[in-house]
Amino acid sequence: MKRIVILGSTGSIGTQTVDVVRQHPEELEIVGLAVNTRVQEMLEQARAHKVKNLAVGDERLAQAPLVSEVREQAAGGLCGYGMDAVVDLVRLPEADVVVNALVGAAGLRASFETLRAGKVLALANKESLVVGGDLIMPLAARVDEQRRAAGVAPKVGPAGALMPIDS
């Protein structure tokens, strides 16, 4: 079972990822969802997949009417607002893979922290490599080596710490 955090869960890549999980529930599980502003859509995804770890990037929405529903859905999990809350999801101990489908340079920090936490990064956020490739690529290589040493990756070729994805 692969446990997935989806950053940008209501965009094109995020909704496609949610759909893939829906089609393969015996192999995949969503353990965290993050959006920037589309809170109602994230709540629908969270309810459908019983996700308890939720983050909203736009911290102004911490005062929005849906805040109580977000807290209720996240009971027993993480719930937060702002970029720090989004990044906290990549560090969830139960997460194996982080799908970074955030828009723009906002995704760089999440990509970096995902790899720093030793997680597999499924990257749709090209800006992470354009702006921060000098940081991301060496870190991905280190995670690849850790994955090889742990016996969870092929002995040669990419070990899967960084997987480019797109719609």
Side-chain angles (χ1 to χ4, degrees):
M1 174 75 67
K2 292 286 182 198
R3 297 162 301 178
I4 304 170
V5 169
I6 306 171
L7 308 179
S9 70
T10 60
S12 175
I13 299 292
T15 56
Q16 289 176 55
T17 303
V18 171
D19 189 49
V20 169
V21 172
R22 183 187 55 74
Q23 294 176 44
H24 301 281
E26 66 288 341
E27 299 171 41
L28 303 169
E29 175 187 7
I30 301 170
V31 296
L33 294 169
V35 297
N36 187 42
T37 59
R38 294 159 75 177
V39 178
Q40 183 62 50
E41 291 173 55
M42 178 189 68
L43 277 169
E44 291 167 11
Q45 293 171 333
R47 289 176 183 134
H49 294 273
K50 299 176 178 58
V51 181
K52 297 291 184 188
N53 300 297
L54 306 173
V56 177
D58 187 339
E59 49 192 37
R60 294 173 298 177
L61 295 176
Q63 308 305 317
L66 288 175
V67 73
S68 62
E69 290 182 55
V70 173
R71 285 195 182 114
E72 182 180 316
Q73 178 62 36
L78 290 179
C79 175
Y81 292 81
M83 197 56 194
D84 287 344
V86 172
V87 171
D88 285 344
L89 292 180
V90 309
R91 298 184 192 106
L92 288 171
E94 63 267 30
D96 302 308
V97 177
V98 175
V99 173
N100 184 347
L102 296 173
V103 175
L108 175 58
R109 181 173 166 214
S111 292
F112 180 82
E113 293 298 332
T114 296
L115 291 168
R116 198 167 110 174
K119 313 286 184 183
V120 171
L121 174 61
L123 185 62
N125 175 270
K126 294 166 195 73
E127 291 83 358
S128 290
L129 294 180
V130 171
V131 175
D134 290 347
L135 294 171
I136 298 298
M137 295 309 292
L139 191 51
R142 264 186 277 161
V143 175
D144 278 349
E145 287 305 313
Q146 292 168 352
R147 290 174 53 76
R148 280 191 191 92
V152 295
K155 300 237 185 274
V156 294
L162 177 60
M163 298 185 314
I165 61 171
D166 207 333
S167 55

